[in-house]
Amino acid sequence: MLQKLSPLLKFYRWVRFLDRIQHWKGLAHKNHSEAALELIDEKAHKNIHVVISQSENEYMWVHPQIVEFWKAMHRECSQRKIPIKAFEFLRTRERQDELHSQGHTNATAGKSPHQYGLAVDIISATKAWDLSKKQWEIIGEIGKEVARKRNIKITWGGDFETIWDPAHWQIADWKKYRFAYNHCVGNGIKIPEETRLRFSFLENVYEANRSR
């Protein structure tokens, strides 16, 4: 029984440590522990709708490190009984403009890493975006630790200076892929269809043009 509860107990200790850190910084976020408890849903894995929503992912043309990050993030949160799901990976230009017109994003088509398979939006599998700031901060810290352990250079939308977008995670240097993609499109260069070959090819295109 104690062995089964170990991940949760470690999680509680970590959240309490986070509270102390915030207190030392003068921010005094004393409710992170309560926020963490409300994130936990030990029955979510039995909810068929949650299970389906967590497995309906399409990874074609999504950067392998984004996929690796999402899968690791899902495992880490599952150990803590926090149900999450990937809401969106790759996004069409039309979808981006639709979200922009609805006021859900500041980025228009071509200016978001989602168009290039270089981002993922991760939300609660049971509460969607309806989380408190402290709950988002907890998920953000888990995600940053996941990325650090795997040496994945990723940026969390909760750290953006101009907008608070805590569901969003993107490859830190995503703009180099955008440059390479636009270069290929503008010069009629065919980009490979297979996902890993695609991003490897774009990296080579970027490096070749950067050295000129």
Side-chain angles (χ1 to χ4, degrees):
M1 184 65 177
L2 288 176
Q3 191 173 20
K4 182 179 180 182
L5 291 176
S6 180
L8 277 179
L9 292 175
K10 290 180 181 178
F11 177 53
Y12 293 147
R13 289 195 208 102
W14 174 79
V15 170
R16 291 181 67 184
F17 174 74
L18 178 62
D19 279 331
R20 289 197 294 273
I21 291 293
Q22 298 293 343
H23 181 72
W24 293 335
K25 288 182 178 179
L27 302 177
H29 290 316
K30 297 179 181 179
N31 292 320
H32 274 105
S33 298
E34 293 179 13
L37 287 172
E38 291 180 8
L39 274 175
I40 294 169
D41 186 343
E42 297 195 48
K43 297 181 180 179
H45 70 284
K46 297 181 181 179
N47 185 323
I48 187 63
H49 299 293
V50 170
V51 173
I52 291 174
S53 71
Q54 291 176 329
S55 60
E56 289 183 330
N57 296 316
E58 174 56 63
Y59 301 130
M60 184 175 179
W61 293 0
V62 178
H63 195 287
Q65 285 198 320
I66 285 288
V67 176
E68 179 188 356
F69 171 76
W70 153 246
K71 290 181 176 180
M73 179 75 162
H74 182 239
R75 285 194 299 272
E76 290 291 328
C77 286
S78 293
Q79 289 181 352
R80 294 164 172 80
K81 308 300 182 185
I82 299 175
I84 60 170
K85 71 175 183 179
F87 176 73
E88 208 162 36
F89 289 96
L90 187 65
R91 189 181 291 163
T92 64
R93 295 178 64 88
E94 292 75 19
R95 170 67 173 160
Q96 187 66 38
D97 279 338
E98 177 188 0
L99 292 173
H100 181 263
S101 66
Q102 294 171 352
H104 297 313
T105 177
N106 287 343
T108 54
K111 296 182 178 180
S112 167
H114 279 288
Q115 266 92 84
Y116 309 95
L118 298 164
V120 59
D121 289 339
I122 298 175
I123 61 176
S124 167
T126 54
K127 301 178 181 179
W129 285 268
D130 190 20
L131 301 178
S132 70
K133 188 172 187 291
K134 292 180 180 64
Q135 288 173 324
W136 280 118
E137 287 172 348
I138 290 168
I139 291 176
E141 290 300 323
I142 293 173
K144 285 189 278 188
E145 181 64 9
V146 165
R148 184 193 67 79
K149 287 180 178 179
R150 288 158 181 79
N151 196 30
I152 298 175
K153 306 302 182 184
I154 200 164
T155 302
W156 177 45
D159 289 333
F160 288 168
E161 294 182 359
T162 58
I163 186 174
W164 169 256
D165 191 3
H168 183 83
W169 299 85
Q170 65 185 39
I171 293 292
D173 57 351
W174 72 272
K175 288 183 180 179
K176 76 176 186 181
Y177 294 97
R178 180 180 66 177
F179 170 84
Y181 177 87
N182 290 336
H183 174 82
C184 290
V185 172
N187 290 277
I189 301 172
K190 183 175 176 57
I191 301 173
E193 294 285 321
E194 197 277 326
T195 299
R196 287 189 177 275
L197 284 177
R198 183 182 185 85
F199 287 105
S200 177
F201 180 81
L202 291 174
E203 288 171 5
N204 290 334
V205 169
Y206 174 79
E207 291 299 328
N209 283 273
R210 187 178 68 162
S211 62
R212 288 179 179 177

